[in-house]
Amino acid sequence: MTEAARQRGSPPEKGDPPGKEDGGGGGGGGGVALKKEIGLLSACGIIVGNIIGSGIFVSPKGVLENSGCVGLALLVWGATGAVTAVGALCYAELGVTIPRSGGDYAYVKEIFGGLAGFLRLWIAVLVIYPTNQAVIALTFANYVLHPLFPTCPVPEPALRLLAAACLLLLTWVNCASVRWATRVQDVFTAGKLLALALIIGTGIFQICKGEHFWLAPPQAFSFWQRPSAGVALAFLQGSFAYGGWNFLNYVTEELVDPYRNLPRAIFISIPLVTFVYVFANVAYVTAMSPRELLESNAVAVTFGEKVLGVMAWVMPLAVALSTFGGVNGSLFTCSRLFYAGAREGHLPALLAMIHLERRTPVPALLVTCVSTLLMLVTGDIYTLINYVGFVNYLWYGVTVAGLVVLRWRQPRRPRPIRVSLLFPALYLAFWAALLLFSLWSEPLVCGIGLAIMATGAPLFLLGVRGGPRPPALRRALDALTRFGQRLCLVVYPWETPTRPTATTPRPTATTPRPTVTATRPTATPTRPTASSSVPSPPSPTLSPPPDPRRPSQPHT
């Protein structure tokens, strides 16, 4: 390519390599674009795989501890799933109204402007997604290595090395093929659902045997603490357990038929996850008392030891499968956020480029992997997550509020899906209550999270809105972009114009509109003369270059 950074939406320049005719991701023509290879099954796998992580296997005790009784905890799991479904429906309308990859970043940027979008992008790519991926990878490494160290803690260097190996392997898979990445997600999502089906089936068997003491109403609603402020904390814990429900909106441009498959995937996945969460917790209390559940550091493992006997090894394997699929899903969606931010000019242009043949955002994937590896060598990952968890949840409500603002500003904008305004109102009421309680209970943690997010404002004003860059800096960035292009074999995505055919030449300003006349074909074609009324040839700036392998023939 002759220029390293090209503005979004500009046409390809002369000399750019043509794309394959069948590989375009976004239109009928050829070119280099993201492939539309995510069907309905893979879309459901992305949502379910990102929501169901290690939490339901390891520590569902947060909701139980703050609820005060088993019955109220089960109601919290179900109610939180219903609120998540309401938020997902609001995101479905935004996803088909603004059909661009990037999820809430793309929606906030279009509705509230560049600064709001940049702040969402800044906190996500700086802390939220790298730290979450690092924690999931460490959990995977811990459960894989635990059988090798049954009597002592797993060595920290071994944990971090295996977590890094997991990240590198999955980054390579995502760079190689979108289809490979979605197949990995499908397989490991199926694996974790099978493990949860085993837990639920065992719980049903326990109930049939009469092991349902803690599910009877007198015991289920026997409070061991007063359900006051703890209920709000239980809902907050449950909301974080459903995190990842909006990840499909990050890959909208790679969905096959997004206007149909995006809402369908949400309608299938969120109720499925809610069912799994509620009945997995029902199964746990058929084998353990609330005290035993609260004292366990890995609830599924304790459940397996009590009920499965010689098959207890299935539970650590299930956690490992769950976390491995979680790392893959997070890498897949987070890299698309980098890609969307670079395409809008909020990140370096190299991150908006895709591989010439594989059509995957290789630079964005590599940067995602490197930022996560840096978090692995950081000692205090969990503190960072506590600081920015509040801010991450804050942006969910801002995005849903954007739906109401967009309805008011552009009431006639086409909306293939149009939800009732009662849905965003219900979600915003629930969201505001949780945020106010978080500010009241932990003002210092929430304040630090807001301060970390606010550091992006001066960077936006200086780096994005600060006018032309100095020539030396611009030359250095261009050189770095060209080096990255050669190293990764990536180009900026574009599509070639439709090729004109010989019988239907492209009209120009001087070409009269042809009249339809019935003429009898002759046996031999006649060469046009100078006086013949022949349409002028296509404009040289729009027609494709001639194929040197094929001799030029006159039009007949």
Side-chain angles (χ1 to χ4, degrees):
M1 294 179 66
T2 57
E3 290 184 10
R6 179 182 298 135
Q7 295 296 325
R8 181 171 69 92
S10 61
E13 296 181 355
K14 187 176 180 180
D16 282 338
K20 294 181 179 179
E21 294 297 326
D22 60 349
V32 181
L34 292 173
K35 288 185 177 181
K36 288 183 176 290
E37 290 191 349
I38 303 176
L40 179 60
L41 179 62
S42 296
C44 294
I46 289 173
I47 296 177
V48 174
N50 279 288
I51 294 179
I52 301 178
S54 61
I56 191 62
F57 297 102
V58 179
S59 56
K61 61 184 181 181
V63 174
L64 179 60
E65 182 179 8
N66 292 295
S67 298
C69 70
V70 172
L72 185 57
L74 295 177
L75 291 176
V76 167
W77 281 111
T80 309
V83 173
T84 301
V86 170
L89 289 175
C90 298
Y91 267 64
E93 176 178 326
L94 288 170
V96 297
T97 306
I98 309 173
R100 294 206 305 269
S101 293
D104 38 22
Y105 158 70
Y107 313 147
V108 167
K109 179 184 178 298
E110 176 159 332
I111 298 170
F112 297 109
L115 176 59
F118 183 82
L119 291 178
R120 171 57 179 152
L121 179 70
W122 171 250
I123 196 67
V125 303
L126 180 69
V127 180
I128 292 175
Y129 292 114
T131 52
N132 284 339
Q133 287 163 188
V135 169
I136 298 172
L138 286 171
T139 306
F140 163 78
N142 186 38
Y143 276 85
V144 169
L145 295 176
H146 182 72
L148 303 178
F149 300 90
T151 60
C152 63
V154 179
E156 193 71 19
L159 275 178
R160 296 183 185 271
L161 282 175
L162 184 56
C166 168
L167 285 166
L168 292 172
L169 174 62
L170 289 175
T171 300
W172 175 79
V173 169
N174 280 266
C175 288
S177 171
V178 173
R179 183 168 297 175
W180 290 6
T182 55
R183 293 298 177 269
V184 168
Q185 191 67 22
D186 295 344
V187 169
F188 283 91
T189 298
K192 71 177 72 176
L193 286 177
L194 287 174
L196 286 166
L198 175 63
I199 293 174
I200 294 171
T202 306
I204 294 174
F205 180 72
Q206 289 282 102
I207 292 174
C208 294
K209 286 172 54 180
E211 301 289 342
H212 48 71
F213 177 79
W214 291 104
L215 296 175
Q219 287 75 34
F221 290 94
S222 175
F223 291 92
W224 58 80
Q225 66 179 16
R226 298 183 66 184
S228 54
V231 176
L233 279 176
F235 272 106
L236 196 59
Q237 293 278 348
S239 299
F240 289 146
Y242 281 93
W245 54 267
N246 62 326
F247 274 20
L248 187 61
N249 293 70
Y250 284 78
V251 295
T252 304
E253 294 177 25
E254 295 169 83
L255 275 175
V256 177
D257 195 2
Y259 296 106
R260 297 177 61 188
N261 285 336
L262 178 62
R264 283 181 176 181
I266 291 172
F267 293 150
I268 294 171
S269 303
I270 303 298
L272 175 62
V273 172
T274 305
F275 172 85
V276 167
Y277 274 8
V278 171
F279 282 89
N281 281 276
V282 168
Y284 289 148
V285 296
T286 62
M288 293 177 284
S289 67
R291 181 179 296 277
E292 289 176 319
L293 195 149
L294 293 174
E295 291 175 352
S296 173
N297 291 322
V299 176
V301 175
T302 306
F303 176 84
E305 292 171 351
K306 284 182 169 291
V307 178
L308 298 180
V310 294
M311 296 295 292
W313 57 269
V314 171
M315 288 299 105
L317 178 62
V319 178
L321 291 176
S322 177
T323 50
F324 190 84
V327 174
N328 179 73
S330 184
L331 274 173
F332 187 85
T333 53
C334 179
S335 62
R336 271 57 179 182
L337 179 61
F338 278 82
Y339 167 82
R343 190 175 58 178
E344 299 293 339
H346 288 172
L347 290 175
L350 180 63
L351 299 181
M353 297 184 184
I354 62 176
H355 196 274
L356 187 60
E357 298 294 334
R358 303 183 186 277
R359 317 296 168 86
T360 54
V362 174
L365 282 163
L366 294 178
V367 171
T368 304
C369 179
V370 170
S371 62
T372 307
L373 290 174
L374 290 175
M375 288 297 173
L376 281 179
V377 300
T378 302
D380 221 359
I381 299 177
Y382 296 95
T383 303
L384 280 174
I385 290 180
N386 289 335
Y387 285 152
V388 300
F390 165 80
V391 178
N392 190 38
Y393 202 72
L394 169 70
W395 284 107
Y396 291 164
V398 172
T399 306
V400 173
L403 182 148
V404 181
V405 173
L406 195 63
R407 287 274 192 96
W408 175 65
R409 288 181 182 172
Q410 302 177 14
R412 297 187 179 181
R413 182 165 181 165
R415 290 174 173 85
I417 299 174
R418 191 181 183 93
V419 301
S420 169
L421 287 178
L422 180 64
F423 286 170
L426 289 174
Y427 185 86
L428 289 173
F430 177 80
W431 166 83
L434 288 186
L435 288 186
L436 289 175
F437 179 80
S438 298
L439 284 170
W440 174 74
S441 60
E442 294 184 327
L444 179 61
V445 171
C446 297
I448 292 176
L450 291 172
I452 294 174
M453 180 186 67
T455 58
L459 188 64
F460 173 81
L461 296 175
L462 296 176
V464 179
R465 295 281 300 273
R469 299 186 178 113
L473 178 60
R474 190 165 58 247
R475 286 193 299 270
L477 291 175
D478 288 347
L480 180 63
T481 303
R482 285 192 294 270
F483 173 76
Q485 286 186 267
R486 295 190 184 98
L487 180 66
C488 301
L489 195 62
V490 292
V491 294
Y492 199 90
W494 55 272
E495 294 180 6
T496 58
T498 306
R499 291 179 178 272
T501 61
T503 56
T504 57
R506 190 187 303 274
T508 61
T510 59
T511 304
R513 183 179 297 275
T515 58
V516 180
T517 57
T519 59
R520 185 175 182 177
T522 58
T524 58
T526 58
R527 182 180 297 276
T529 61
S531 59
S532 301
S533 177
V534 179
S536 59
S539 172
T541 60
L542 296 176
S543 62
D547 192 342
R549 298 171 296 180
R550 185 182 293 178
S552 59
Q553 298 178 358
H555 294 260
T556 60

